């Protein structure tokens, strides 16, 4: 594993397989009431510039279950609010904790933090990507289908951070990724190009119907991501016709599942009937954040420790 998880592209196929296997083992062990204290004595700092329910709670509980200590650092309660430099914060936190997870508005903030940190840094959502979400999504798809390779994934909605990670992961997962967005909300062409350069099959569909026809997995997300609230009205108009409802789901393959990273805006990007219906995999998807992130923490910290141990030995 690389030291940091800033992008889904930081993972090789071998890393992904390892994470999926470890997450499955941790999930099964937890179901039997067994939580090995693999990270006893370690701490994880979690910096949040934006709100969170799942990411915060799953990392916090994950660290606790692994015997470690999570620290929730709301940006406004730290000296970051008063202008302390990201680089200085990274240098100092690295002297205290074993790893740092950051949720930031700008991806550049997370990259800068990682440049100056000397411990593993995990992207807990930026304007560019949500790699931890994608890992939980891949795990959930594998639970349902036993594989991702050869499946068709349809993204319908905003070409946002989660969509970017899905596109970038296409080569890694072997899923064909079809993206349907209003023209003004298409994913960055550089992301699509990079996804293709990484071996992904990415199709830019003209309509939600075209994307979903025969798909195995339907993805959507809010039309109004954190930081875009001032555009809410314009976005709601632009996304008319992009709501995942029973009519659209009926176009997918038999046995197709519906995914949403949550929080959902019921009645906007997805109907109650779909979110609460038999095709919905969203509650497992949310739960799997916990198991997969525990695997991420264990693997990043053990790889990193191995490196530092080797460095210490010269
Ligand atoms: N899916 C996700 O990251 O949710 P939160 O914003 O609640 O963390
Ligand atoms: N696209 C959403 C994801 C929230 C987990 C946002 O950025 O707000």
């Amino acid at each position: 594993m690389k030291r940091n998880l800033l992008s889904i592209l930081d993972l090789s196929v071998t890393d992904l397989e390892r994470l999926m296997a470890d997450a499955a083992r941790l999930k099964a062990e937890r179901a039997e009431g067994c939580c090995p204290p693999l990270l006893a004595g370690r701490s994880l700092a979690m910096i949040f510039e934006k709100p969170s329910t799942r990411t915060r709670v799953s990392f916090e509980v994950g660290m606790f279950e692994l015997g470690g200590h999570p620290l929730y650092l709301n940006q406004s309660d730290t000296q970051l609010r008063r202008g302390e430099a990201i680089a200085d914060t990274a240098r100092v936190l690295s002297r205290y904790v074993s790893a740092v997870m950051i949720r930031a508005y700008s991806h550049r903030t997370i990259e800068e933090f990682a440049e100056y940190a000397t411990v593993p840094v995990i992207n807990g959502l930026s304007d560019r990507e949500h790699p931890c979400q994608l890992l939980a999504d891949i795990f959930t798809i594998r639970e349902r289908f036993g594989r991702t390779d050869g499946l068709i994934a349809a993204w319908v909605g905003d070409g946002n951070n989660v969509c970017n990670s899905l596109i970038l992961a296409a080569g890694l997962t072997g899923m064909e990724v079809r993206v349907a967005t209003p023209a003004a909300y298409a994913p960055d062409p550089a992301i699509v190009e990079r996804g293709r350069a990484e071996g992904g099959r990415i199709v830019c569909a003209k309509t939600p119907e075209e994307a979903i026809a025969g798909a195995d997995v339907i993805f959507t997300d809010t039309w109004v991501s954190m930081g875009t609230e001032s555009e809410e009205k314009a976005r709601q108009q632009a996304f008319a016709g992009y709501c995942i409802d029973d009519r659209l789901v009926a176009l997918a393959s038999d046995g197709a599942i519906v995914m949403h990273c949550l929080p959902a805006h019921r009645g906007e990007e997805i109907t109650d009937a779909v979110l609460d219906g038999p095709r919905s995999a969203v509650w497992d998807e949310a739960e799997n954040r916990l198991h997969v992130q525990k695997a991420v923490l264990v693997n990043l910290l053990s790889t990193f420790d191995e490196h530092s141990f080797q460095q210490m030995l010269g």
Side-chain angles (χ1 to χ4, degrees):
M1 295 268 289
K2 286 188 180 174
R3 191 191 76 185
N4 303 313
L5 176 59
L6 306 191
S7 163
I8 197 77
L9 288 178
D10 286 330
L11 300 172
S12 65
V13 172
T14 311
D15 294 335
L16 180 67
E17 288 308 319
R18 179 70 192 260
L19 291 175
M20 295 295 113
D22 287 351
R25 202 186 63 240
L26 288 164
K27 183 171 182 174
E29 285 174 355
R30 185 179 189 262
E32 287 170 7
C34 167
C35 292
L38 302 171
L39 297 183
R42 311 300 180 80
S43 299
L44 172 73
M46 309 187 299
I47 300 174
F48 284 91
E49 284 185 2
K50 316 192 228 189
S52 169
T53 297
R54 281 144 287 270
T55 305
R56 175 183 174 177
V57 177
S58 54
F59 267 110
E60 202 161 322
V61 171
M63 250 339 246
F64 170 76
E65 290 185 356
L66 289 166
H69 179 64
L71 293 98
Y72 173 68
L73 302 176
N74 183 330
Q75 198 201 22
S76 58
D77 296 338
T78 68
Q79 296 288 7
L80 284 166
R81 180 170 67 97
R82 294 177 61 250
E84 183 165 15
I86 287 289
D88 295 348
T89 308
R91 288 179 175 114
V92 171
L93 287 183
S94 297
R95 302 285 181 113
Y96 298 138
V97 301
S98 315
V100 179
M101 187 239 85
I102 317 183
R103 168 168 288 194
Y105 283 98
S106 166
H107 192 72
R108 183 65 206 129
T109 302
I110 302 180
E111 286 178 334
E112 189 184 347
F113 195 101
E115 273 165 35
Y116 292 94
T118 52
V119 295
V121 176
I122 301 167
N123 176 358
L125 180 73
S126 69
D127 55 347
R128 183 185 153 100
E129 272 202 65
H130 200 355
C132 295
Q133 181 67 53
L134 234 289
L135 285 173
D137 294 356
I138 294 168
F139 186 84
T140 307
I141 295 167
R142 287 167 68 135
E143 278 186 328
R144 299 292 178 113
F145 292 93
R147 67 192 164 100
T148 52
D149 194 37
L151 297 180
I152 299 174
W155 177 276
V156 174
D158 190 16
N160 63 14
N161 36 23
V162 182
C163 176
N164 287 343
S165 291
L166 176 66
I167 289 171
L168 293 172
L172 210 52
T173 60
M175 291 195 291
E176 174 180 319
V177 176
R178 299 184 192 158
V179 182
T181 69
Y185 300 97
D188 180 350
I191 294 276
V192 176
E193 201 177 305
R194 182 71 196 275
R196 288 181 177 143
E198 295 292 329
R201 182 166 157 69
I202 324 288
V203 178
C204 296
K206 290 192 181 58
T207 61
E209 289 79 3
E210 184 188 325
I212 289 179
D216 302 294
V217 187
I218 302 170
F219 282 89
T220 191
D221 185 13
T222 179
W223 298 333
V224 187
S225 281
M226 290 179 275
T228 68
E229 289 83 355
S230 63
E231 304 165 15
E232 184 168 357
K233 232 186 177 115
R235 283 175 170 264
Q236 276 169 354
Q237 282 166 6
F239 285 99
Y242 283 77
C243 176
I244 304 297
D245 57 14
D246 287 331
R247 182 190 67 84
L248 281 178
V249 173
L251 304 175
S253 73
D254 293 344
I257 61 169
V258 177
M259 305 194 67
H260 191 312
C261 63
L262 304 175
H265 295 70
R266 289 170 173 265
E268 292 186 18
E269 74 274 4
I270 191 164
T271 61
D272 285 337
V274 173
L275 195 61
D276 300 327
R279 305 295 191 107
S280 173
V282 300
W283 316 118
D284 285 347
E285 181 185 5
E287 178 190 324
N288 287 333
R289 295 288 304 275
L290 171 67
H291 312 302
V292 172
Q293 285 159 199
K294 284 168 76 174
V296 167
L297 288 166
V298 168
N299 277 279
L300 283 183
L301 286 174
S302 58
T303 309
F304 179 62
D305 280 4
E306 213 171 280
H307 289 161
S308 33
F309 191 57
Q310 281 162 2
Q311 278 165 9
M312 278 193 292
L313 288 175

